[in-house]
Amino acid sequence: MSYSVPRSVLDAFRQRPGPVLYYAGSFNPPHPGHLQAIRGAAQQLQQMGLKDDPILVVAPKSDERLKQKMRTYGETLMFPWLERVKLFQQLWRDNLESLESLEADLAPLGLEGDLAPLHFDSSWRHFRGDARQIRRDTDRAFGALGCQVFRVMGEDRVVDHGLEDDPMVLSTPRCELSSSHIRQLLVDGAFDALDALVGPKVAEAYMQSFATL
């Protein structure tokens, strides 16, 4: 496939050039730990002395590649790509405590006030190939714009892929909360537990999405 930078990201970069925080993952489903990863990556940008506003891009794994991953682990419960995007948007809007912390972390980069917009990269929605192609193609496309792309990646994945010394990969601590735990709570119908973890609006969004599977 021929990759091009998403229009919304291109427009944002042209308006205010800055580095991209590119977060690819399964997000099956997304949860507050994913917001913590974004926050951790933003903090690392500050520590690196980057002053330009980061552009936040989320790239959910395609349904085809997620099915392959789920089969590897003997699991079947999977939220379709569009549902994962909707849930991430809901989480982004409604997890106020995490978002307020994120806003405080990004403020030194000039993002005080409104929270930074979140962009979704749909280019890989039907992708079946190797994840390394995603990085090659996105690096090439963003590089042609003169844009630095920093990958947000959990520390366990960083080690698994041997990327500890890659300066463009921002390693974030593993969160105790996991998507598999959220899925189990949904299967158990444990709404109160979900509510306690993510808040009532996101918990309700989980339940409604789960009901369509």
Side-chain angles (χ1 to χ4, degrees), residues 15 18 40 54-55 82 106 123 126 139 160 202 213:
Q15 182 177 0
I55 300 169
L82 186 57
L106 292 179
S123 303
H126 302 293
D139 279 348
D160 289 344
V202 175
L213 302 182

Side-chain angles (χ1 to χ4, degrees), residues 19-30:
V20 164
L21 284 179
Y22 197 93
Y23 193 9
S26 299
F27 311 120
N28 185 41

